[in-house]
Amino acid sequence: MAAEAAEQTEKPAVQSYYNGDLTIELNTSDLNKSSVTPSKEEIYKLGFSLNDLYKLSLLFYKKDADTLLIPYADKVQLVALWKQVTCGKFDESKSPDIGYFDVIGNDRKKAWEGLGDLSVDDAKKSFISILESKTANFIPFIEMKKREIEVEIEKKRLEREERAKKEEEIRRRNEEEERIRREEAERIKLALQAEKLAIEEKKKKEEEEALEKNQLLESSPKFLSSKIVGNSTGKSMAQASLWTRPKLQEFITHVKRDANSVLVIGRGETVTIRVPTHENGSCLFWEFATEFYDIGFGVYFEWTSGDNSTAEETLKKHLVVHENENNDEVILKASTDEVLPVLRRNSHEEVIVGSHLYPGQGIYLLKFDNSYSLLRSKSLYYRVYYTK
């Protein structure tokens, strides 16, 4: 039995590559994580810091521990160095109980105890140095890991760039949406302001028109007579006819060709067109229209039976008379009768048309009244003719 024990004790020394219980416990997930992200420490060797290279060395040892062909003594030394790094200086309290016949355990204990006060960094360096010098696959393994790390770093860089690009696109899209939202809000605001202004202008226009209407009622010219039937000579007078027709713009365009049929009636002004009866006529017709605004209109008849002038001479002498708001230019003859009272007509909406049978010899006074408008002139387009 003693001989067998002695043979077993000497067996490790004889078998240089004995793969006994020389396990190193590692947290491989932490190792993989740390190895993929190199630290910012000073480079020690092979492109890695001391701590990173040591972690990769542990990973290498763990990966090939069972097939690693290095001398038994070096394996024992590696385990001892690992214990020195993880547990510090040898202490009986840190070492488990080892049986007398546990040759490998006693060798590990002696190797650890033999390291004495060796620092952690020196222990790491020695661990790396043994693997580098005793194994042929260590450096290729480290280089492979370095390439993997570089690939991983490049992958993460591209991922960061792609993420940054997407974030930039989202930011620009949000800015564009915000810009469109602000523009739409501004457009709505301007539209509301324009609508409000239009309402105010409409209200102001209605007030101005109401004021002009009141002024017209207050300042309408007065004539000797406003009778429709009967006159100072005792002769009867037929009632005038008055109607409207559409196609106002067509009428204005047609009348514009004759400059003598276009008048501008100034603000506060009244214009009287004097039209004598024709010896061959029996009825007077008139048509007129204005642009944009209405105008006052009335018809009077001036009897001229005692006048020896011909109708043509009278027409040349008394065609158009401009009057002020007090009608100072109206010279009343022996008698003047009202055919149509002066009232505001919507000649800017439809063509105003009228007719009147001759009551006798005389002059028709077609009166266009703008005396109520103190702000605007009116463009008048008219035609006057007779029928047999």
Side-chain angles (χ1 to χ4, degrees):
M1 295 293 292
E4 291 178 1
E7 185 179 353
Q8 291 178 0
T9 303
E10 294 176 357
K11 189 174 183 179
V14 175
Q15 193 171 5
S16 299
Y17 297 98
Y18 178 78
N19 293 326
D21 186 12
L22 294 172
T23 304
I24 294 178
E25 298 296 333
L26 303 177
N27 188 336
T28 56
S29 61
D30 289 342
L31 283 176
N32 289 331
K33 182 179 179 181
S34 63
S35 63
V36 169
T37 308
S39 65
K40 296 181 180 180
E41 299 175 5
E42 182 181 357
I43 299 299
Y44 168 64
K45 188 184 290 187
L46 300 176
F48 292 96
S49 66
L50 177 59
N51 288 330
D52 289 339
L53 187 56
Y54 173 70
K55 292 175 182 179
L56 289 173
S57 300
L58 289 176
L59 187 62
F60 172 76
Y61 182 85
K62 176 69 176 179
K63 177 176 175 294
D64 297 328
D66 296 335
T67 59
L68 206 57
L69 298 178
I70 59 175
Y72 169 78
D74 290 331
K75 278 194 173 184
V76 171
Q77 188 68 14
L78 287 172
V79 175
L81 291 168
W82 167 66
K83 293 293 288 184
Q84 187 78 2
V85 172
T86 55
C87 301
K89 183 179 178 181
F90 174 79
D91 190 313
E92 287 288 350
S93 62
K94 300 175 184 178
S95 177
D97 294 335
I98 300 174
Y100 176 77
F101 295 103
D102 187 356
V103 178
I104 297 175
N106 283 292
D107 289 343
R108 287 186 305 181
K109 179 179 178 182
K110 289 178 182 179
W112 183 16
E113 188 175 3
L115 295 177
D117 295 325
L118 185 68
S119 67
V120 172
D121 285 348
D122 287 340
K124 291 179 179 180
K125 291 177 182 180
S126 297
F127 190 95
I128 295 168
S129 179
I130 292 173
L131 291 177
E132 185 178 4
S133 60
K134 300 296 183 178
T135 63
N137 296 331
F138 177 72
I139 293 179
F141 174 81
I142 297 300
E143 291 176 348
M144 179 190 69
K145 285 296 181 183
K146 184 178 180 181
R147 288 192 297 271
E148 290 178 358
I149 291 172
E150 290 173 349
V151 170
E152 186 67 21
I153 290 174
E154 179 65 13
K155 179 181 177 182
K156 289 190 175 182
R157 185 187 67 81
L158 293 176
E159 288 176 353
R160 287 196 301 271
E161 289 181 356
E162 184 67 20
R163 185 165 56 251
K165 183 179 179 181
K166 290 181 180 180
E167 290 174 354
E168 179 66 15
E169 290 177 355
I170 293 173
R171 183 187 65 80
R172 290 181 180 177
R173 185 166 60 251
N174 290 339
E175 288 181 353
E176 181 67 12
E177 291 175 354
E178 178 64 18
R179 182 187 65 80
I180 293 174
R181 187 193 64 77
R182 288 197 301 267
E183 289 180 355
E184 181 66 14
E186 183 66 18
R187 186 189 65 78
I188 293 174
K189 179 181 177 182
L190 293 176
L192 292 175
Q193 291 177 349
E195 183 179 359
K196 181 179 178 182
L197 182 61
I199 294 173
E200 292 176 352
E201 289 180 352
K202 182 179 179 181
K203 183 178 179 181
K204 182 178 179 181
K205 182 180 178 181
E206 291 174 351
E207 292 175 352
E208 290 177 353
E209 290 178 350
L211 178 61
E212 290 179 356
K213 184 176 181 180
N214 292 333
Q215 290 174 346
L216 175 64
L217 294 176
E218 294 174 358
S219 60
S220 295
K222 305 298 186 294
F223 293 87
L224 290 177
S225 176
S226 60
K227 296 178 181 178
I228 299 301
V229 179
N231 52 67
S232 59
T233 63
K235 297 180 180 180
S236 62
M237 181 179 293
Q239 188 172 0
S241 299
L242 192 67
W243 66 95
T244 62
R245 65 179 177 87
K247 298 183 179 181
L248 181 140
Q249 286 300 324
E250 181 179 324
F251 173 79
I252 291 176
T253 302
H254 180 74
V255 172
K256 273 184 178 180
R257 299 172 185 172
D258 182 8
N260 293 326
S261 296
V262 180
L263 291 176
V264 176
I265 302 176
R267 54 189 179 182
E269 185 180 34
T270 300
V271 172
T272 300
I273 299 176
R274 302 171 64 87
V275 183
T277 56
H278 196 279
E279 59 184 1
N280 295 324
S282 63
C283 183
L284 180 72
F285 281 84
W286 60 83
E287 295 178 297
F288 70 90
T290 54
E291 289 182 316
F292 308 120
Y293 304 102
D294 62 358
I295 196 166
F297 174 72
V299 180
Y300 293 82
F301 187 79
E302 182 180 290
W303 299 90
T304 59
S305 57
D307 193 346
N308 296 323
S309 299
T310 65
E312 286 77 11
E313 290 174 347
T314 304
L315 180 61
K316 292 179 181 178
K317 293 179 181 179
H318 306 287
L319 181 59
V320 177
V321 178
H322 289 262
E323 308 167 4
N324 61 19
E325 60 183 6
N326 294 321
N327 305 312
D328 293 338
E329 294 295 331
V330 176
I331 301 174
L332 300 177
K333 301 297 179 180
S335 63
T336 302
D337 290 327
E338 182 183 76
V339 177
L340 282 175
V342 176
L343 297 174
R344 290 176 69 173
R345 315 290 180 176
N346 292 327
S347 54
H348 62 301
E349 296 178 352
E350 291 183 299
V351 180
I352 307 298
V353 185
S355 66
H356 187 249
L357 291 173
Y358 286 179
Q361 183 179 356
I363 299 174
Y364 280 98
L365 307 179
L366 277 63
K367 195 172 186 65
F368 294 94
D369 184 9
N370 195 36
S371 62
Y372 61 87
S373 180
L374 303 179
L375 302 176
R376 301 186 181 93
S377 297
K378 311 291 174 62
S379 295
L380 174 69
Y381 305 88
Y382 73 96
R383 289 193 304 189
V384 180
Y385 48 91
Y386 72 91
T387 59
K388 293 183 180 180

